[in-house]
Amino acid sequence: MSNPWGSVNPAAPACSLADVMSEQLARQLDEENNTFPTLTECPSFSDLMLSGEVPDTTSDLMLAQILQMQFDREFDDQLRREEKKFNGDSKVSISFENYRMVHPYEDSDSSEDEVDWQDTRHDPYRAEKPQTTPRKGFTGKGKNITTKHDEVNCGRKNTARMDNFAPEVHVGDGLGMDLKLSNQVFNSLKQHCYSEQRRSAKLHEKKEHSTAEQAVDPRTRLLMYKMVNAGVLENINGCISTGKESVVFHADGGSLEEQPVPDEVVLKVFKTTLNEFKNRDRYIKDDYRFNDRFSKLNPRKVIRLWAEKEMHNLARMKKAEIPCPDVVVLKKHILVMSFIGKDHVPAPKIKDAMLGSEDMKNAYYQVLHMMQQLYRECNLVHADLSEYNMLWHEGKVWLIDVSQSVEPTHPHGLEFLFRDCRNISTFFQKKGVSEAMSVYDLFNTVTGLQIPVGAENEAEFMAEIVALEKRNEDHVQKRRKKVFPFASEDSGPPLEPDADD
Ligand code: ADP
Ligand code: MG
């Protein structure tokens, strides 16, 4: 039998749902004597739809399918009408395609159908990485080539790009539905956002009479103003320091959740220009506390991790009562903390403090004690300790700048500590503090280790340190494997929770 569906009457017009349902048609179908097709001979539902023919059959299954198909088509026609009515002449149109019962088949072949179907199900416009077109400028083969100019793809990409607009731009539900923005619409939206941001920044600038904020990018500026608007800060006064990795502002504190904020605070803005941060990767990449998260983050979020790290480290130091700034609040890459200084005058760095010999000796013992506390009580190594990151205030040494601080078990933790010891020894010896220990003695005193000092041979001492680190690392890996047998080498979960988490 050549056609299991029997002969098709080519003259018969496609019937409407009402017709199919009519008794007359039912009788007509009943009268026809066609053989019942076996299951294997059944064409697929989509084949049926593609053929555009209404097969002739006595099968209940077929009848149900035809009815369903007809119903679906009418549903989709109705949907199309509603879509049209909904969108009107609007430049931005909303597609109802996802609600359709029957996927477009009229003017496309079946393979395109498939791609269409996968597209909507896979939600490409929501993907982390929007689909990109390879260098050659097109994807696909033969008839199915899609270029980067493909209207649908472009539209979806444009919609996904709205995600990058400033946080205060409400993009609505556009990201959640299959909204396709034309280039023209997208560009004018983008332009509008930029000019709005500039306008709003200008307004605030006038109000604050401050140009200091120019040292940061517009996004950061907006975040800063938001803190003023929210009353966390009364006023942002000016810039204390612009370094390679951060910009520090002085501000008057307001209140946060009904709690008073210190009268004077600083905003440490971690720079979002990424190049300088690249070479600091190793401080954070190998810090198991941040391991898991580091690899998955985009650069902007990595910057936030630095700020977060400083906050956690300061909290540990506070617990051990080491003089350091109090954390007020962390907003993305901006850390607000108490100001070390008075009446807008920041405490001097110890290198600039012009201390008398007695104060200098005092300062040395304080630093020695703090290094021990940091190591033993906070389980931290400062990793950037020097006369630049210690302030002299009210007769005390205050430690700052701890975003890069790591735990001693960090794969390079002891090397960082050795470097800290060298900075401290050198500085105080140069300042004439005769009690200042050699770098080796200082290292052993801080750690409680007894690495033989030998003939002041740094290479040997360093070799010992590196060997220790290696042994420790092996031990940590083993323990991690024991506790988490499926943990990978570099992304194992932390062995202990963060002290302040
Ligand atoms: P960087 O990583 O840029 O060195 P720091 O945390 O060391 O960042 O801050 C830079 C400078 O800003 C410091 O040398 C100090 O002069 C000033 N500073 C930072 N934090 C405070 C604070 N809490 N109080 C007063 N001055 C501060
Ligand atoms: Mg510093």
Side-chain angles (χ1 to χ4, degrees), residues 105 128-129 142 145 184 232 242 277 339-340 365 395 402 409 436:
Y105 58 91
E128 279 290 305
K129 264 197 241 153
I145 281 183
Q184 198 193 352
V232 179
T242 44
F277 269 97
F339 175 66
I340 314 298
Y365 280 112
V402 289
T409 53

mmCIF file of all heavy atoms in Angstrom, residues 105 128-129 142 145 184 232 242 277 339-340 365 395 402 409 436:
data_model
loop_
_atom_site.group_PDB
_atom_site.id
_atom_site.type_symbol
_atom_site.label_atom_id
_atom_site.label_comp_id
_atom_site.label_asym_id
_atom_site.label_seq_id
_atom_site.Cartn_x
_atom_site.Cartn_y
_atom_site.Cartn_z
ATOM 1 N N TYR A 105 5.536 26.855 10.849
ATOM 2 C CA TYR A 105 5.927 25.873 9.856
ATOM 3 C C TYR A 105 5.617 26.375 8.460
ATOM 4 O O TYR A 105 6.074 25.868 7.477
ATOM 5 C CB TYR A 105 5.208 24.536 10.087
ATOM 6 C CG TYR A 105 3.707 24.671 10.049
ATOM 7 C CD1 TYR A 105 3.022 24.513 8.850
ATOM 8 C CD2 TYR A 105 2.991 24.964 11.198
ATOM 9 C CE1 TYR A 105 1.651 24.650 8.820
ATOM 10 C CE2 TYR A 105 1.635 25.106 11.171
ATOM 11 C CZ TYR A 105 0.946 24.950 9.970
ATOM 12 O OH TYR A 105 -0.402 25.095 9.927
ATOM 13 N N GLU A 128 24.413 33.643 30.494
ATOM 14 C CA GLU A 128 25.500 34.470 30.998
ATOM 15 C C GLU A 128 26.277 35.073 29.845
ATOM 16 O O GLU A 128 26.566 36.233 29.800
ATOM 17 C CB GLU A 128 26.453 33.628 31.851
ATOM 18 C CG GLU A 128 25.952 33.421 33.266
ATOM 19 C CD GLU A 128 25.987 34.680 34.086
ATOM 20 O OE1 GLU A 128 27.055 35.286 34.192
ATOM 21 O OE2 GLU A 128 24.932 35.090 34.605
ATOM 22 N N LYS A 129 26.596 34.181 28.908
ATOM 23 C CA LYS A 129 27.339 34.649 27.746
ATOM 24 C C LYS A 129 26.359 34.724 26.596
ATOM 25 O O LYS A 129 25.906 33.685 26.123
ATOM 26 C CB LYS A 129 28.419 33.637 27.382
ATOM 27 C CG LYS A 129 29.771 33.975 27.954
ATOM 28 C CD LYS A 129 30.824 33.191 27.212
ATOM 29 C CE LYS A 129 31.557 32.295 28.157
ATOM 30 N NZ LYS A 129 32.115 31.125 27.577
ATOM 31 N N GLY A 142 24.855 25.795 4.924
ATOM 32 C CA GLY A 142 23.897 25.767 3.825
ATOM 33 C C GLY A 142 22.820 26.807 3.981
ATOM 34 O O GLY A 142 23.087 27.987 4.171
ATOM 35 N N ILE A 145 22.306 29.325 7.405
ATOM 36 C CA ILE A 145 23.294 30.295 7.880
ATOM 37 C C ILE A 145 22.616 31.435 8.631
ATOM 38 O O ILE A 145 21.597 31.964 8.208
ATOM 39 C CB ILE A 145 24.104 30.843 6.682
ATOM 40 C CG1 ILE A 145 25.156 29.806 6.308
ATOM 41 C CG2 ILE A 145 24.740 32.183 7.006
ATOM 42 C CD1 ILE A 145 26.057 30.222 5.206
ATOM 43 N N GLN A 184 18.148 50.058 16.675
ATOM 44 C CA GLN A 184 17.785 51.472 16.795
ATOM 45 C C GLN A 184 17.182 51.771 18.169
ATOM 46 O O GLN A 184 17.582 52.711 18.852
ATOM 47 C CB GLN A 184 16.777 51.795 15.701
ATOM 48 C CG GLN A 184 16.633 53.269 15.435
ATOM 49 C CD GLN A 184 15.402 53.523 14.586
ATOM 50 O OE1 GLN A 184 14.770 52.596 14.088
ATOM 51 N NE2 GLN A 184 15.063 54.773 14.420
ATOM 52 N N VAL A 232 23.307 57.233 55.332
ATOM 53 C CA VAL A 232 24.446 56.550 55.972
ATOM 54 C C VAL A 232 25.574 57.566 56.151
ATOM 55 O O VAL A 232 26.283 57.563 57.154
ATOM 56 C CB VAL A 232 24.940 55.366 55.105
ATOM 57 C CG1 VAL A 232 26.130 54.679 55.752
ATOM 58 C CG2 VAL A 232 23.806 54.383 54.866
ATOM 59 N N THR A 242 44.851 58.659 46.788
ATOM 60 C CA THR A 242 44.545 57.898 45.574
ATOM 61 C C THR A 242 45.729 56.994 45.323
ATOM 62 O O THR A 242 46.837 57.463 45.058
ATOM 63 C CB THR A 242 44.363 58.801 44.332
ATOM 64 O OG1 THR A 242 45.409 59.769 44.341
ATOM 65 C CG2 THR A 242 43.037 59.486 44.316
ATOM 66 N N PHE A 277 45.052 45.164 39.504
ATOM 67 C CA PHE A 277 44.616 44.076 40.356
ATOM 68 C C PHE A 277 45.064 42.724 39.831
ATOM 69 O O PHE A 277 45.155 41.771 40.575
ATOM 70 C CB PHE A 277 43.100 44.091 40.509
ATOM 71 C CG PHE A 277 42.667 44.896 41.686
ATOM 72 C CD1 PHE A 277 42.270 46.205 41.552
ATOM 73 C CD2 PHE A 277 42.694 44.338 42.949
ATOM 74 C CE1 PHE A 277 41.889 46.949 42.640
ATOM 75 C CE2 PHE A 277 42.313 45.063 44.053
ATOM 76 C CZ PHE A 277 41.914 46.373 43.900
ATOM 77 N N PHE A 339 37.190 56.568 60.684
ATOM 78 C CA PHE A 339 38.327 57.396 60.286
ATOM 79 C C PHE A 339 39.374 57.384 61.396
ATOM 80 O O PHE A 339 39.035 57.592 62.564
ATOM 81 C CB PHE A 339 37.807 58.820 60.040
ATOM 82 C CG PHE A 339 38.847 59.847 59.728
ATOM 83 C CD1 PHE A 339 39.586 59.785 58.556
ATOM 84 C CD2 PHE A 339 39.069 60.933 60.598
ATOM 85 C CE1 PHE A 339 40.526 60.759 58.244
ATOM 86 C CE2 PHE A 339 40.012 61.912 60.295
ATOM 87 C CZ PHE A 339 40.737 61.813 59.117
ATOM 88 N N ILE A 340 40.610 57.117 61.045
ATOM 89 C CA ILE A 340 41.699 57.205 62.026
ATOM 90 C C ILE A 340 42.295 58.595 61.857
ATOM 91 O O ILE A 340 42.973 58.870 60.864
ATOM 92 C CB ILE A 340 42.798 56.134 61.800
ATOM 93 C CG1 ILE A 340 42.185 54.749 61.546
ATOM 94 C CG2 ILE A 340 43.790 56.111 62.957
ATOM 95 C CD1 ILE A 340 41.366 54.196 62.677
ATOM 96 N N TYR A 365 57.577 47.924 69.691
ATOM 97 C CA TYR A 365 57.038 46.829 70.511
ATOM 98 C C TYR A 365 55.550 46.592 70.228
ATOM 99 O O TYR A 365 55.089 45.460 70.239
ATOM 100 C CB TYR A 365 57.312 47.081 72.005
ATOM 101 C CG TYR A 365 58.737 46.703 72.360
ATOM 102 C CD1 TYR A 365 59.681 47.668 72.722
ATOM 103 C CD2 TYR A 365 59.139 45.370 72.313
ATOM 104 C CE1 TYR A 365 60.994 47.308 73.018
ATOM 105 C CE2 TYR A 365 60.446 45.001 72.610
ATOM 106 C CZ TYR A 365 61.372 45.977 72.959
ATOM 107 O OH TYR A 365 62.657 45.611 73.248
ATOM 108 N N GLY A 395 48.973 58.092 70.227
ATOM 109 C CA GLY A 395 50.055 57.330 70.863
ATOM 110 C C GLY A 395 50.055 55.843 70.550
ATOM 111 O O GLY A 395 50.701 55.046 71.232
ATOM 112 N N VAL A 402 44.238 45.839 54.836
ATOM 113 C CA VAL A 402 44.376 44.397 55.023
ATOM 114 C C VAL A 402 43.598 43.586 53.973
ATOM 115 O O VAL A 402 43.274 42.427 54.198
ATOM 116 C CB VAL A 402 43.948 43.970 56.448
ATOM 117 C CG1 VAL A 402 44.963 44.451 57.465
ATOM 118 C CG2 VAL A 402 42.560 44.495 56.798
ATOM 119 N N THR A 409 48.400 29.544 56.402
ATOM 120 C CA THR A 409 48.457 28.310 55.607
ATOM 121 C C THR A 409 48.285 28.564 54.111
ATOM 122 O O THR A 409 48.298 27.623 53.326
ATOM 123 C CB THR A 409 47.349 27.340 56.046
ATOM 124 O OG1 THR A 409 46.111 28.050 56.005
ATOM 125 C CG2 THR A 409 47.600 26.798 57.426
ATOM 126 N N ALA A 436 65.273 46.502 67.873
ATOM 127 C CA ALA A 436 64.629 45.855 66.710
ATOM 128 C C ALA A 436 65.396 44.600 66.306
ATOM 129 O O ALA A 436 66.603 44.630 66.075
ATOM 130 C CB ALA A 436 64.556 46.837 65.556
#
